[in-house]
Amino acid sequence: MGMLAWVMMGLALWHFTIFLPDRFWGGIVGAFLGALIGAALFGFVVNGFTVPGIGDTHLLTALEAIPGAVAGIAAVYAEGVRRENAVHA
């Protein structure tokens, strides 16, 4: 159940990428994958490499995924900018 909370938080934060210029590596799909993978990995690490079950899932479980989702989006964005600059150089 914790994984669902992490992925849903990543999905929710992904929606805000429409306010950024489309320089993501892989476009909007790349941003989507970056948000989901970042949120899931960060939540997994924060919880000691375990996934909380139904009884252990709280509101804070979903909030734990925010830094990972933002980091995943930022990584995909940085890679997209790097590749764009390499093409134009």
Side-chain angles (χ1 to χ4, degrees):
M1 201 63 175
M3 184 66 74
L4 178 65
W6 300 330
V7 170
M8 289 295 108
M9 182 57 75
L11 178 66
L13 292 176
W14 167 74
H15 284 88
F16 291 101
T17 60
I18 63 164
F19 297 115
L20 299 173
D22 190 15
R23 293 183 167 178
F24 297 103
W25 177 42
I28 197 70
V29 175
F32 176 75
L33 293 175
L36 294 188
I37 292 170
L41 283 176
F42 193 80
F44 196 62
V45 169
V46 166
N47 283 289
F49 299 100
T50 61
V51 179
I54 291 177
D56 298 327
T57 303
H58 305 67
L59 177 62
L60 291 177
T61 305
L63 296 179
E64 291 169 350
I66 292 174
V70 172
I73 291 170
V76 173
Y77 190 85
E79 180 62 20
V81 169
R82 187 190 68 79
R83 287 180 184 234
E84 184 178 308
N85 290 339
V87 169
H88 294 296

